[in-house]
Amino acid sequence: MTNQASKQLRSEHPRPQFIRKAWVNLNGEWEFEYDDSQVGDQEQWHSSERVFSRRIQVPFAFQSKLSGIGDPEFHDTVWYRNNFSVPISFKGKRVLLHFGAVDYCASVWVNGNLVAQHEGGHTPFHADITNALRNDGNTIVVKAVDYSRDVSLPRGKQHWLSDSASIFYTRTTGIWQTVWMEAVAPAYLDKVKFTSDIDQNAIEMSMIFQGLKGEENLRVKIDISFKGEHISQDVIQVNTPNEVRTIHLADFNDHGLGRWWSPEHPNLYDVVFTVLEGDTVVDEVSSYFGMRKVSIENGKFNLNNRPYFQKLVLDQGYFPDGNLTPPSDDAIKQDVELMKAMGFNGARKHQKLEDPRYLYWCDRLGLLVWSEAANAFEFSEVYVRRFMNEWQESVARDYNHPSIVAWVPLNESWGVPNIQIDKLQQQHALTMYHLTKSLDPMRPVVSNDGWEMVKTDLFNIHDYEWRQEVLTERYSSTDKAVNAMPANRRLSVEGFPYEGQPILVTELGGIAYKKSEWEGWGYSGAENDEDFASKLRAVIQPLLQSSIVQGYCYTQLTDVEQEINGLLTYDRVPKLPVDVIRAINEGN
């Protein structure tokens, strides 16, 4: 284990929008073993005294350097073991064991008892492990099974071949987000769903409780504050597992003195939920919410009832030593700060459900986020089941973040490669659109970002043209834009014509410019700083000057492995002065 890896424990709270004081981080050094021969189940590694031969730094996947292993080869079944103690302060409470993400299938045992199984490489899961605990020390064993070569697996940018190439990168197998546990009362607040309504100056809170037996005398006290100023308090009786309360708030306006959330004014309300049984506090959760509205009116994308031009950057969310896992909370915060410093007001999180800490910093610092699924590449019934389940978990996990302003279940026909002619694949894309709207009617949904769209709220075009005069002409009118075929792909599937939606160019640029030791490629190239700045200007200015385009997304934030078309190098060094990039985004 390297000293560098042993220091990177990711010790910050992994769920910043729902915090209890009684929690324990279980990251750190765990025992680890490959199971290439598939003998672990037969030999009952989950309950045996067998000592695993390796050590790994959780939450980093074995493919990453920060794991202490750094092995990029295929090992699709891996095992983890860790000994842990339960704090005295947890006594008399239920103990929940949480996993931020395990790629792809996970089985979890505590002291030889199977406590959880989960499928889906990007979404969290937890188990109540109270009845499996011992008084004299405890052991967690995790078996993770990946399917590295299966292209029907929701995998995002993880390459199914042995080496990274083109736009595909190193794989992630096993635990790659924080492992932790918390203590809760026998009856406790499990989750809260916030829905803001700036038109009515109100916040709706849908509270889900677990462990209710009907005999408790439970109340929940809701305290809302803003920058330390107490705003509202409400107390309600808990009669059912789902209690809904709408609270009206004061001091809302759009004249610069209000409390609405936007990238320019990332205002957040703090809220504390205190659950009482009689007069005894049995549970307390700290959270936050933002008051903001996303809507489409008369073909315009609006934020807080005003047209809003989106300047996005494509963010793959990879790091040189951690791969999909950010090395630290500071590294996440730095990425958000750099995007804002370069003049972007949002990020399209590409082919990855990001660490909740990323969304926290976007909420806190003010950055719009388009949340996009990690897609598969082949269509099948197995794919449909896998993908729909994981996407529903994704939307549920992130619904409360005010920074998220769009859902993107599909990108560039990944997973639906024949959508132009295949009715089944068209129905799948339509299903994903309507499923998402049923889970969240408040945000726009993009059925298939880039081309071959079916029903969609935003008309998004991927266009890597580098000639300024071509882009200027192409986006000079709606008719020219919606009938263009930048990637030699039709923008709409037959039967789903353009219906007046906001038009955005959600991938452009991709200019390869080498400023580090990495060799690689991009969609076009630059020779030096002056050439790079000139070419950036050439692809961004036509969209800023267009009367029909309502936003763009530049590809991309950073270099990633062999892909060197970032505005930053892989280790986050700007290739041009940040002020120069900001000036280009401002039309200068």
Side-chain angles (χ1 to χ4, degrees):
M1 189 67 56
T2 66
N3 288 333
Q4 182 188 23
S6 64
K7 295 177 182 177
Q8 302 292 339
L9 298 179
R10 292 299 308 276
S11 59
E12 67 282 345
H13 198 288
R15 193 180 59 188
Q17 223 178 16
F18 202 81
I19 295 177
R20 290 186 174 89
K21 293 179 180 178
W23 76 285
V24 174
N25 190 312
L26 296 176
N27 292 342
E29 185 175 270
W30 290 41
E31 295 180 42
F32 184 74
E33 195 75 276
Y34 297 141
D35 187 11
D36 297 341
S37 299
Q38 302 287 307
V39 298
D41 287 330
Q42 181 181 350
E43 296 178 3
Q44 298 188 346
W45 288 4
H46 66 275
S47 60
S48 70
E49 298 299 318
R50 183 184 189 279
V51 176
F52 294 168
S53 65
R54 297 174 182 267
R55 300 293 181 271
I56 190 168
Q57 187 74 12
V58 169
F60 300 99
F62 72 78
Q63 293 94 338
S64 71
K65 293 178 182 177
L66 286 174
S67 72
I69 298 175
D71 179 0
E73 300 302 320
F74 290 106
H75 301 286
D76 280 3
T77 302
V78 296
W79 292 74
Y80 301 77
R81 181 186 290 120
N82 188 35
N83 297 320
F84 70 100
S85 299
V86 178
I88 295 175
S89 61
F90 282 24
K91 186 175 181 180
K93 294 181 176 289
R94 309 299 296 180
V95 179
L96 305 182
L97 176 63
H98 292 266
F99 291 82
V102 181
D103 198 353
Y104 173 73
C105 291
S107 300
V108 182
W109 294 264
V110 172
N111 300 323
N113 301 289
L114 182 66
V115 296
Q117 290 183 300
H118 181 260
E119 181 181 23
H122 299 81
T123 49
F125 64 96
H126 71 273
D128 185 333
I129 62 172
T130 311
N131 295 336
L133 294 173
R134 298 171 179 163
N135 294 324
D136 56 349
N138 299 276
T139 302
I140 303 171
V141 174
V142 178
K143 174 189 174 185
V145 180
D146 204 1
Y147 305 99
S148 298
R149 299 172 177 85
D150 185 350
V151 293
S152 71
L153 195 75
R155 62 191 310 117
K157 289 301 191 82
Q158 300 180 54
H159 206 191
W160 53 91
L161 301 179
S162 59
D163 298 321
S164 298
S166 180
I167 60 172
F168 300 103
Y169 319 132
T170 301
R171 291 170 298 282
T172 292
T173 296
I175 298 170
W176 66 277
Q177 288 186 25
T178 291
V179 184
W180 57 291
M181 61 182 179
E182 65 177 344
V184 299
Y188 63 95
L189 181 63
D190 184 43
K191 63 183 67 173
V192 178
K193 186 176 181 181
F194 296 106
T195 302
S196 64
D197 184 345
I198 69 169
D199 298 330
Q200 299 299 319
N201 298 346
I203 181 74
E204 181 187 273
M205 302 179 182
S206 177
M207 295 162 281
I208 307 296
F209 295 86
Q210 295 290 346
L212 297 181
K213 296 181 179 179
E215 303 169 355
E216 304 89 352
N217 178 26
L218 289 186
R219 295 172 296 138
V220 59
K221 179 162 68 80
I222 306 166
D223 287 287
I224 301 173
S225 61
F226 181 81
K227 296 183 178 179
E229 175 191 355
H230 191 262
I231 300 297
S232 177
Q233 183 180 92
D234 201 359
V235 180
I236 66 171
Q237 190 75 26
V238 179
N239 297 312
T240 67
N242 184 11
E243 296 287 349
V244 180
R245 179 58 55 100
T246 297
I247 297 177
H248 290 268
L249 303 168
D251 190 25
F252 275 74
N253 60 74
D254 58 349
H255 302 297
L257 300 176
R259 297 175 178 148
W260 291 349
W261 186 97
S262 69
E264 296 75 24
H265 302 284
N267 294 317
L268 296 173
Y269 286 79
D270 295 308
V271 57
V272 177
F273 298 93
T274 305
V275 181
L276 302 108
E277 186 164 11
D279 294 325
T280 303
V281 175
V282 295
D283 194 16
E284 185 174 279
V285 174
S286 299
S287 187
Y288 68 85
F289 61 87
M291 295 296 295
R292 68 100 187 88
K293 177 183 177 182
V294 181
S295 61
I296 297 171
E297 303 289 343
N298 298 318
K300 295 289 187 182
F301 176 91
N302 289 345
L303 181 66
N304 298 334
N305 293 324
R306 298 291 184 273
Y308 195 89
F309 192 94
Q310 297 184 73
K311 301 176 182 180
L312 312 176
V313 62
L314 195 77
D315 182 6
Q316 309 275 8
Y318 274 75
F319 295 83
D321 296 327
N323 298 349
L324 279 181
T325 307
S328 67
D329 197 47
D330 286 341
I332 300 171
K333 182 181 179 185
Q334 179 191 37
D335 276 4
V336 176
E337 290 174 332
L338 282 167
M339 284 185 259
K340 287 182 68 72
M342 289 187 291
F344 295 101
N345 55 30
R348 180 176 164 222
K349 178 54 65 171
H350 194 42
Q351 290 300 304
K352 178 188 181 186
L353 181 67
E354 190 52 273
D355 188 312
R357 298 292 307 187
Y358 175 93
L359 297 172
Y360 165 80
W361 284 117
C362 291
D363 293 341
R364 185 69 56 187
L365 299 176
L367 193 76
L368 303 181
V369 177
W370 288 30
S371 183
E372 181 178 315
N375 289 152
F377 295 92
E378 215 171 66
F379 184 81
S380 67
E381 290 185 12
V382 172
Y383 149 77
V384 170
R385 177 188 61 78
R386 288 170 166 171
F387 185 64
M388 289 182 67
N389 289 344
E390 190 165 355
W391 180 245
Q392 290 179 80
E393 292 179 353
S394 301
V395 174
R397 193 200 77 170
D398 292 341
Y399 177 92
N400 287 340
H401 289 281
S403 56
I404 295 180
V405 296
W407 299 113
V408 186
L410 295 172
N411 168 72
E412 290 188 345
S413 303
W414 292 10
V416 285
N418 295 321
I419 190 171
Q420 189 68 44
I421 58 172
D422 189 325
K423 298 295 185 182
L424 285 178
Q425 296 182 25
Q426 292 170 17
Q427 290 300 321
H428 172 64
L430 281 169
T431 298
M432 295 308 300
Y433 172 85
H434 289 293
L435 172 65
T436 309
K437 298 296 281 190
S438 75
L439 299 171
D440 180 5
M442 311 300 289
R443 293 176 173 97
V445 178
V446 180
S447 66
N448 186 20
D449 204 275
W451 53 63
E452 297 175 340
M453 288 170 274
V454 290
K455 178 68 175 176
T456 186
D457 294 332
L458 302 172
F459 199 85
N460 295 345
I461 304 169
H462 293 182
D463 190 344
Y464 285 103
E465 174 59 54
W466 56 272
R467 292 167 295 178
Q468 184 169 358
E469 65 276 11
V470 174
L471 291 170
T472 299
E473 175 64 18
R474 183 173 292 162
Y475 298 103
S476 63
S477 72
T478 298
D479 186 63
K480 289 178 180 177
V482 302
N483 288 297
M485 296 176 62
N488 200 30
R489 299 275 194 133
R490 293 181 177 87
L491 296 178
S492 298
V493 169
E494 185 177 358
F496 298 93
Y498 174 70
E499 296 178 324
Q501 302 98 322
I503 295 171
L504 296 93
V505 181
T506 49
E507 286 189 29
L508 76 149
I511 302 165
Y513 183 32
K514 180 181 176 182
K515 292 283 279 190
S516 66
E517 74 277 8
W518 291 89
E519 296 286 350
W521 71 280
Y523 295 90
S524 60
E527 299 297 325
N528 52 49
D529 287 9
E530 183 177 317
D531 188 33
F532 188 39
S534 175
K535 287 182 174 173
L536 277 177
R537 226 175 253 108
V539 297
I540 288 177
Q541 275 196 349
L543 306 183
L544 289 172
Q545 295 168 354
S546 170
S547 62
I548 61 131
V549 172
Q550 297 186 39
Y552 58 82
C553 180
Y554 183 83
T555 304
Q556 60 189 2
L557 179 62
T558 76
D559 294 349
V560 182
E561 299 183 356
Q562 72 284 338
E563 193 173 353
I564 59 167
N565 52 21
L567 296 168
L568 314 174
T569 65
Y570 202 7
D571 54 359
R572 274 49 179 184
V573 177
K575 294 182 181 179
L576 289 173
V578 166
D579 290 345
V580 172
I581 300 172
R582 171 180 281 276
I584 293 171
N585 271 319
E586 292 173 348
N588 300 319

